[in-house]
Amino acid sequence: NSGAIAPLSDEAIVELEMKLLSEAYGDFKNAKVVDSCVKRYQGAVSWFSPGSFSKRPPLASSVKNVCCAGDWVRMGDREHGAKGLCQERALVSGYEAANELASRGVLNGNRKMKKRLEIRDDEPAYTMGVRASSVVQGALDRLGVGSAWVR
């Protein structure tokens, strides 16, 4: 949700992002922005829909110093977690794009790879809730009622 940053100027958005990056990753404290571009798309939503996964762009490109990152990219062998659109996937794809560029040797000699945490199994309470929801929804489907959760 961009509601909190939408009223900010482009410069203020870039400054905020650099501040957040510096807080999250100390190496960014001395980084200087040499170019930036802020795009604003009122009411924009993702065009990716169920079944469109195979049509998303890949993380790695044929251009040596270009990779795609975001929850909308296919990560190939680096797939990790949910394939839906979410912040966690966007973060992991950013790590993996950086890892790809490091492995190609295009990061000014920096070949340090970012290690990611592997996904742990769902908690038993969540798994039980999913199963219970599935049983309830299956019964409603057989009765022709439709979804109990979506109206």
Side-chain angles (χ1 to χ4, degrees):
N1 184 334
S2 65
I5 64 170
L8 299 177
S9 69
D10 293 357
E11 294 79 16
I13 291 173
V14 172
E15 285 177 29
L16 175 62
E17 290 304 315
M18 290 306 294
K19 177 183 178 289
L20 294 172
L21 281 169
S22 297
E23 290 171 2
Y25 304 100
D27 293 345
F28 276 91
K29 282 188 169 78
N30 296 321
K32 294 193 182 347
V33 176
V34 295
D35 191 18
S36 66
C37 179
V38 175
K39 299 288 187 182
R40 298 168 189 267
Y41 302 99
Q42 289 295 100
V45 296
S46 171
W47 286 101
F48 296 105
S49 59
S52 68
F53 183 79
S54 65
K55 293 178 175 53
R56 295 180 189 178
L59 179 131
S61 78
S62 59
V63 179
K64 186 177 180 181
N65 62 348
V66 173
C67 284
C68 292
D71 57 358
W72 49 278
V73 302
R74 289 180 291 124
M75 291 189 280
D77 294 342
R78 293 183 163 106
E79 277 304 332
H80 183 71
K83 291 187 175 133
L85 304 175
C86 62
Q87 293 173 347
E88 295 80 4
R89 181 176 174 76
L91 177 71
V92 170
S93 74
Y95 288 160
E96 292 300 336
N99 288 343
E100 175 66 20
L101 293 171
S103 72
R104 293 178 184 187
V106 297
L107 298 179
N108 296 327
N110 183 355
R111 291 187 175 261
K112 183 178 177 185
M113 304 292 268
K114 177 72 176 170
K115 187 175 179 185
R116 69 176 188 208
L117 297 175
E118 292 305 318
I119 295 175
R120 61 179 191 234
D121 291 336
D122 289 327
E123 295 174 359
Y126 173 80
T127 303
M128 189 171 67
V130 169
R131 286 188 189 135
S133 176
S134 180
V135 168
V136 169
Q137 189 58 54
L140 293 173
D141 287 346
R142 286 188 294 280
L143 294 171
V145 175
S147 176
W149 319 121
V150 179
R151 292 281 171 222

